[in-house]
Amino acid sequence: AGARMAQLSGVLGGQGSTAVGTQIGMIFGLISNMETEAAMQRLINLNQQTKFMTENVREGMNATEKANQIRKDSIRVLDQLNTVENRSAATMQQITFVMNQFASQAHLTGESIASMAAMSATLIEAGEEQGKGGRALRMIYARLGADTNGARTTIEKLGISVIDTETGAMRPFSDILEELAAKYQTLEGAE
C-alpha cells in the first residue's frame, strides 16, 4: 500500500503525505472488502480524476496540516461511498469501478462524488454491467457537452439549461436529471 501511495507523494503534497495516503487506502480496502492493492488502485484512480484528496490543501500549510486536510477530505469521500453502498445493492467495489470510467468528465461539471456514486449504483442495480455503466455515463457527459446528435439542444428545448450561464461550463448531470424528471411527467409518448 505504501509503495502504491508513494507514487502519489508529489500530488499529495510531498513528504509526510504518503503515510496518510497509505492509511486512507488501507481503510478504504477494509470498508470496501477489497484487497489493499486493488483498493489503493481505485483510490489513486479516483483521486487522479477528481483531486478529492487535495482539493482543500492550500499553499503555506505545513506537513501536519496537509496530512490532516487530506485525511479529513478522504474520510468524507469514503463516508459518501459507504453511504451509497449501504443504501443500494451495489458494492463499493462495483461503484468505484463504474466511477473510474467517467469521474473526470463528471468532476469537470462540478458533480459531487456522492452523486457520481449514486448514479453508478443506480445503473448497477438496474442490471447494467459495470464497464457498460461507466461508459454510458461518460458518453452522456460527452454527448451533452459536445451536443452530439443534438442531445444538448433537445434537452434545452424542454426548457432545461445544460450549460451554466455564469461559468459557461456544463451543469452537473444530477441537476439536469432532477429537472428532466419533473419535465418527463408532462411529456407525451412520442416526446
Side-chain angles (χ1 to χ4, degrees):
R4 282 276 184 217
M5 197 49 72
Q7 297 170 350
L8 281 182
S9 63
V11 175
L12 294 181
Q15 187 150 355
S17 59
T18 301
V20 73
T22 302
Q23 177 190 28
I24 296 301
M26 293 175 81
I27 291 169
F28 180 55
L30 290 170
I31 63 174
S32 66
N33 201 26
M34 282 191 269
E35 294 293 325
T36 303
E37 186 171 350
M40 293 298 294
Q41 193 60 53
R42 293 279 171 84
L43 192 64
I44 290 168
N45 289 347
L46 192 57
N47 181 65
Q48 287 174 322
Q49 294 182 71
T50 65
K51 310 289 188 247
F52 73 88
M53 294 176 111
T54 56
E55 66 186 336
N56 294 310
V57 172
R58 301 290 177 246
E59 192 73 33
M61 288 181 158
N62 65 37
T64 301
E65 291 170 329
K66 285 179 183 178
N68 286 338
Q69 190 63 55
I70 290 168
R71 187 178 290 109
K72 179 182 174 184
D73 290 338
S74 298
I75 294 295
R76 177 183 44 80
V77 166
L78 295 181
D79 183 52
Q80 291 173 356
L81 292 171
N82 192 46
T83 298
V84 171
E85 179 186 52
N86 289 341
R87 294 178 181 173
S88 75
T91 67
M92 202 177 304
Q93 186 171 4
Q94 293 170 318
I95 292 167
T96 55
F97 182 90
V98 173
M99 287 175 67
N100 278 325
Q101 306 288 316
F102 75 97
S104 60
Q105 290 87 352
H107 180 68
L108 289 173
T109 71
E111 191 72 74
S112 72
I113 289 182
S115 291
M116 290 182 221
M119 287 187 282
S120 300
T122 300
L123 287 175
I124 292 164
E125 287 177 341
E128 196 62 59
E129 292 177 26
Q130 296 167 56
K132 287 181 181 178
R135 286 189 300 275
L137 287 164
R138 184 176 62 229
M139 291 307 299
I140 288 170
Y141 280 96
R143 287 179 178 152
L144 287 174
D147 198 19
T148 304
N149 293 329
R152 180 175 60 216
T153 303
T154 302
I155 297 291
E156 289 174 341
K157 283 181 183 176
L158 295 172
I160 300 169
S161 178
V162 174
I163 303 298
D164 185 319
T165 54
E166 291 181 24
T167 65
M170 189 173 135
R171 294 176 53 221
F173 185 53
S174 59
D175 292 351
I176 295 168
L177 274 178
E178 282 184 38
E179 290 181 40
L180 185 58
K183 204 57 105 161
Y184 190 79
Q185 302 303 319
T186 65
L187 300 177
E188 295 181 14
E191 293 174 305

